[in-house]
Amino acid sequence: MHRTLLAAFKQKFMLKPYILITLGIAALTAILNALGFAFDAVNVALIYLFPVLFSAVYWGLRPSFYAAAAGVLAFDYFFVPPFLSFTVEDLRYVLSFGVYLAVAALTATLAARLKQQLHLAERREAHTAALYTLSRQMTAIGDIQVLLGNVVSQVAETTLSPVAVYLPDAAGELALTARSAGNDGFGEGEAAMAVARWVHRRSRPAGRGTGELREFPGLFVPLYTEERIYGVLAIRLEQGGGELTADSRRLLEAFAGLAASAIARLKLSEEAKLAQLTAESERLRTAILDSVSHELRTPLATIIGSATGLIDGDGMFTPADRIELLVTIRDGALRMNRLVTNLLGMVKLESGMLQLRRNWCDAGDMLGVVLAQVEDFRQQRHIQVKLPDPVPYFRGDELLLEQVLINVVSNAIKYSPDGSKIVIEVWQEGPWIRFSVTDEGVGIAPADIDRVFDKFYRGRTTGGVTGTGLGLAICKGIVEAHGGTIAAEAHRTKGAEIRISLPAETADLPNLQEEEEETL
Amino acid sequence: MTTTNGARILIVDDEPQIRKLLKVTLKAHGFDILEAEAGEAGVYQASIGHPDLIVLDLGLPDVSGMEVLKRIREWTSIPIIVLTAKEREEDKIAALDSGADDYVTKPFGMGELVARIRVALRHAGNAKSEPVLHLGRLVIDLAQRLVELDGNRVKLTPTEYELLKILASHAGKVITQRQLLQQVWGGHHHESDSHYLRIYIGHLRKKLEEDPTRPTFIETEPGIGYRFLLQEPLG
């Protein structure tokens, strides 16, 4: 207790200005004496005002009064006859001393006040600048850790004190979330945590300079907006005075308010995102369940039905019937296989497991593979391929792109009548390789144009054609992973067209030298 | 048919359903069947059962199918057809590069598997080198480096000829891109070289096929390589 009192005393009456003033006046006296100003008392008195002004500007009121007193004493002792004595020969000098002291006091007060106002204005400007910087940063930040880091460093920089922020963790327990750099352990420990929890619970500031827990060295301010409390900001005010001025208190509250509203903004957007995600996944789950249960159960029913029919009534069927049933089993299984492939593809796309392996692709070769794949399935439709010469090469994952083309061509087959024509066209247009698949089928309703690429969305014109609405969604995912685009164009009368554009990326095409002029 | 009759096939697969399906169908097609439900047992059966061909599942419970393939290849060159789930292209390529003769993906059509088995057995049967390959409409004279399509001479560049020779002399079998690059261009090569392969295959198709998008000679195995389609000998 004694020690802190002494320290407080030292802080309040710092000895350094008084020593400097004493030395200054002594030096001034010596110089004036040496220069022989002894008989020019008015000038000397004016010169003695100088240290008074100086100390008023640099050290404030008390040192300047001290300088005035010391000045009068020195003036009296050295320059007022009889010299080297405090006695005064002419009593009028006493009046002069009085006037001198009054002038000194007045100027000192004015200078000190001016100085204080300047200091205040500077501080206010710094605070405003700091608040402005912080508020500007707050709006641009989308990550809570970065945001807290900024708040902490900004507050610490402005107040020159260690700062800590507490936020509730996932379990709702308050935890130390951010600390200013060079913080020597402030904010850690059970005591600090207890204060933080107290503040968090009551949404009221506590610690030094407040009505609560004032013996604690730090000041704890709640971060709250009108609706809720988000955390606690703690600051240890020791350097720079210890006493918390109303001004810095206001600044801290402004910082806390800013930080709270920024945290609120982030939390709200996080919650909104989560809510949207939950709703979306809920919708998807329902769609998947509906579609999977229908799409899997239908072929399963035909498979089980046909197989049990064959087992139970072995003798009843003609060979043609048996073949019929067996074909049904095979087709059901193939249909299930398509669905499972698409579902797995979707899962891969969604979970980010899809990795592109970019190889050189030959559009003609790819179409060859696609045609071979849909060969059994196309029945009587005529598939016409229009390829440019030379056939364009480009970089892409050929397997995935083939899957895209197979899906698109299968759709064209599914939604067009037997005997109609399907045209597949490939051409290069600037930096793009374009694929177009046109059919003469039912087409796409204009309202569905954009939505046909949504997961589990099925157009209105699909009628009785089975499907899950996954194929085109997967196509879109794959094409976009390649940096390309896929779009549908509707011709209600003459079918639909799907257009795929992929970046040509022919820049780094290895140069194929025509090494072989000679042929066999 | 005569070459396949009585051929003994070893099935290495851990799924009883698949084994049963294979056993029933392949027996119906006139093959003798040996079974193994795991990798170690497969290697053992391969060494004591004297199979003519092995159908090997890549996903086995004890040792991986790849390991089984490598161990069997240490001492025999009997045809091995790999059975695999479609998802993993790398596995198929690795299996073919390590000496598998062909692959069939699950789910598979029985007819396709039987056809592949026949091709592999036939290939193993006449592995002796012939100077002239008769492949339906195409005739390749290996001694004179001559290629004829429907009796007309086809002019090929040396690279095109080399590619055709490798594919045709392994007719019916998948040759991986890596194998082709290695055999035609030799030495080391990197991924972007697959571009050369595509261009030369394109040239070959232009010279041989009527419609390059509906190839009848050189078929693309997506992501893996190429296969010279086996032309059924007339009569």
Side-chain angles (χ1 to χ4, degrees):
Chain A
M1 204 60 199
H2 178 73
R3 194 167 274 223
T4 52
L5 255 180
L6 195 69
F9 177 81
K10 260 190 189 160
Q11 261 190 348
K12 230 168 214 173
F13 305 99
M14 280 207 309
L15 288 177
K16 205 171 124 203
Y18 300 95
I19 293 165
L20 285 175
I21 288 166
T22 314
L23 287 177
I25 286 177
L28 197 63
T29 310
I31 292 166
L32 290 173
N33 238 343
L35 290 176
F37 270 87
F39 301 104
D40 204 351
V42 180
N43 283 342
V44 171
L46 280 176
I47 288 168
Y48 272 118
L49 273 179
F50 191 65
V52 179
L53 276 173
F54 185 86
S55 6
V57 169
Y58 282 95
W59 294 307
L61 219 49
R62 275 175 230 269
S64 70
F65 279 146
Y66 172 74
V72 167
L73 287 180
F75 181 51
D76 181 10
Y77 194 74
F78 290 103
F79 300 104
V80 176
F83 301 123
L84 302 178
S85 141
F86 284 116
T87 49
V88 176
E89 201 173 64
D90 189 339
L91 272 178
R92 278 175 304 173
Y93 272 115
V94 177
L95 190 66
S96 311
F97 290 161
V99 171
Y100 170 83
L101 274 177
V103 168
L106 211 61
T107 39
T109 317
L110 280 175
R113 196 173 293 161
L114 212 64
K115 158 89 179 165
Q116 208 181 4
Q117 267 170 9
L118 182 74
H119 185 64
L120 212 65
E122 268 172 8
R123 272 245 308 264
R124 287 226 170 103
E125 205 221 324
H127 289 178
T128 317
L131 278 174
Y132 175 66
T133 318
L134 190 66
S135 71
R136 212 179 36 188
Q137 286 169 346
M138 294 298 93
T139 49
I141 293 171
D143 181 76
I144 200 139
Q145 266 307 327
V146 180
L147 181 125
L148 291 179
N150 267 16
V151 169
V152 160
S153 69
Q154 196 63 247
V155 175
E157 221 171 87
T158 316
T159 58
L160 300 172
S161 315
V163 176
V165 169
Y166 305 86
L167 246 51
D169 58 16
E173 273 297 302
L174 210 60
L176 184 63
T177 324
R179 270 201 317 192
S180 57
N183 183 336
D184 50 343
F186 171 67
E188 277 175 358
E190 213 17 68
M193 284 306 300
V195 180
R197 260 184 239 121
W198 191 93
V199 170
H200 189 248
R201 220 170 26 245
R202 289 175 214 212
S203 298
R204 259 180 17 219
R208 171 164 302 189
T210 65
E212 320 273 358
L213 304 165
R214 52 172 67 207
E215 65 280 6
F216 201 78
L219 170 65
F220 288 68
V221 199
L223 300 173
Y224 66 91
T225 60
E226 287 80 22
E227 305 95 51
R228 53 192 265 219
I229 175 151
Y230 292 99
V232 177
L233 177 87
I235 178 163
R236 185 175 63 195
L237 293 160
E238 270 178 354
Q239 294 98 318
E243 207 48 48
L244 191 70
T245 61
D247 212 35
S248 36
R249 178 79 184 268
R250 266 202 302 281
L251 175 74
L252 262 184
E253 271 160 16
F255 269 135
L258 250 178
S261 62
I263 296 171
R265 180 176 62 81
L266 281 187
K267 287 260 186 235
L268 283 178
S269 82
E270 232 166 65
E271 277 162 21
K273 225 181 276 168
L274 200 70
Q276 197 189 351
L277 220 68
T278 320
E280 174 73 2
S281 72
E282 187 60 36
R283 195 184 68 76
L284 260 181
R285 206 169 23 234
T286 321
I288 289 176
L289 274 180
D290 285 355
S291 137
V292 166
S293 60
H294 175 259
E295 285 294 307
L296 280 177
R297 285 237 167 97
T298 316
L300 266 179
T302 57
I303 292 169
I304 294 171
S306 311
T308 45
L310 279 171
I311 293 165
D312 298 342
D314 196 28
M316 290 156 39
F317 299 109
T318 63
D321 289 341
R322 290 171 55 87
I323 293 294
E324 183 98 355
L325 286 174
L326 290 169
V327 168
T328 316
I329 292 176
R330 188 197 60 192
D331 290 351
L334 285 177
R335 188 172 146 193
M336 275 179 63
N337 186 43
R338 272 202 300 277
L339 173 70
V340 169
T341 309
N342 272 347
L343 278 174
L344 288 177
M346 203 70 237
V347 170
K348 266 187 166 179
L349 264 178
E350 299 266 290
S351 60
M353 264 162 63
L354 187 88
Q355 277 191 335
L356 295 189
R357 275 174 297 178
R358 285 181 189 268
N359 290 317
W360 286 105
C361 297
D362 170 350
D365 191 8
M366 272 173 53
L367 284 180
V369 173
V370 172
L371 291 181
Q373 289 271 332
V374 299
E375 188 59 32
D376 298 331
F377 171 59
R378 76 180 171 93
Q379 290 154 340
Q380 296 305 309
R381 290 157 192 83
H382 307 288
I383 300 183
Q384 193 187 347
V385 180
K386 290 184 186 166
L387 273 175
D389 192 28
V391 180
Y393 292 88
F394 59 98
R395 274 172 88 76
D397 190 315
E398 66 214 90
L399 288 172
L400 293 174
L401 291 175
E402 272 155 23
Q403 201 191 331
V404 168
L405 289 171
I406 289 168
N407 270 341
V408 172
V409 175
S410 303
N411 269 354
I413 295 170
K414 256 165 75 176
Y415 296 113
S416 62
D418 219 1
S420 63
K421 199 166 78 175
I422 292 166
V423 182
I424 307 173
E425 207 171 341
V426 184
W427 69 99
Q428 184 158 7
E429 201 175 302
W432 297 97
I433 303 282
R434 311 245 196 228
F435 290 81
S436 145
V437 178
T438 316
D439 63 49
E440 297 173 337
V442 290
I444 303 169
D448 293 335
I449 280 289
D450 294 322
R451 301 196 58 191
V452 286
F453 296 103
D454 288 356
K455 260 175 298 188
F456 299 107
Y457 186 82
R458 304 208 56 221
R460 290 142 218 232
T461 43
T462 49
V465 187
T466 62
T468 49
L470 270 177
L472 284 180
I474 293 173
C475 290
K476 188 173 186 228
I478 292 173
V479 169
E480 285 179 353
H482 278 85
T485 58
I486 183 166
E489 246 162 73
H491 310 286
R492 211 180 222 298
T493 44
K494 60 173 172 101
E497 179 184 357
I498 302 282
R499 275 171 177 254
I500 300 166
S501 303
L502 295 168
E505 254 190 78
T506 44
D508 55 339
L509 198 74
N511 197 12
L512 185 72
Q513 311 133 325
E514 279 302 327
E515 30 149 338
E516 315 184 304
E517 287 310 310
E518 150 222 9
T519 52
L520 293 167
Chain B
M1 273 308 262
T2 48
T3 51
T4 62
N5 260 351
R8 189 177 297 163
I9 297 177
L10 167 63
I11 299 163
V12 186
D13 199 312
D14 58 323
E15 284 283 342
Q17 296 275 346
I18 302 267
R19 278 208 311 276
K20 193 171 163 193
L21 168 71
L22 288 173
K23 197 165 119 186
V24 171
T25 343
L26 292 179
K27 265 192 175 160
H29 278 88
F31 296 107
D32 266 356
I33 301 300
L34 291 172
E35 284 179 74
E37 74 292 332
E40 296 284 4
V43 177
Y44 177 69
Q45 286 276 16
S47 63
I48 61 147
H50 303 294
D52 299 303
L53 184 142
I54 299 173
V55 175
L56 174 67
D57 181 17
L58 278 189
L60 293 172
D62 53 348
V63 275
S64 79
M66 279 300 294
E67 186 59 36
V68 175
L69 175 67
K70 281 177 192 157
R71 280 204 222 160
I72 294 176
R73 268 288 169 266
E74 277 170 21
W75 46 267
T76 175
S77 62
I78 59 164
I80 299 178
I81 294 180
V82 159
L83 257 187
T84 169
K86 174 98 182 167
E87 288 303 298
R88 302 176 298 191
E89 301 300 325
E90 309 90 296
D91 285 354
K92 283 183 239 168
I93 295 171
L96 289 167
D97 282 343
S98 320
D101 291 72
D102 208 341
Y103 71 90
V104 173
T105 51
K106 286 179 185 171
F108 53 91
M110 215 50 223
E112 188 189 349
L113 178 64
V114 172
R116 294 278 162 85
I117 289 174
R118 285 210 184 110
V119 166
L121 284 173
R122 189 165 354 156
H123 204 267
N126 46 18
K128 59 184 187 298
S129 52
E130 285 175 56
V132 181
L133 298 174
H134 292 272
L135 300 148
R137 294 158 53 216
L138 196 69
V139 177
I140 304 174
D141 189 330
L142 296 173
Q144 297 191 60
R145 294 171 77 85
L146 277 181
V147 178
E148 280 181 2
L149 181 65
D150 294 329
N152 301 316
R153 176 113 180 257
V154 184
K155 288 190 172 177
L156 296 179
T157 66
T159 310
E160 286 162 10
Y161 174 79
E162 281 304 314
L163 270 177
L164 181 64
K165 191 181 86 180
I166 293 163
L167 287 168
S169 52
H170 297 91
K173 222 180 120 169
V174 195
I175 312 289
T176 63
Q177 293 184 4
R178 211 180 103 191
Q179 288 170 334
L180 282 172
L181 283 169
Q182 216 149 36
Q183 291 187 44
V184 176
W185 281 274
H188 53 87
H189 49 261
H190 35 93
E191 249 177 81
S192 65
D193 292 344
S194 68
H195 172 59
Y196 291 76
L197 202 53
R198 270 167 221 289
I199 290 180
Y200 281 110
I201 294 281
H203 290 176
L204 260 180
R205 282 202 179 123
K206 246 188 206 168
K207 289 180 183 177
L208 300 179
E209 310 277 7
E210 277 159 27
D211 179 355
T213 59
R214 291 176 167 87
T216 55
F217 291 111
I218 301 166
E219 188 186 55
T220 303
E221 288 291 327
I224 293 178
Y226 299 92
R227 182 203 301 272
F228 195 94
L229 289 174
L230 202 71
Q231 322 282 313
E232 287 301 318
L234 297 169

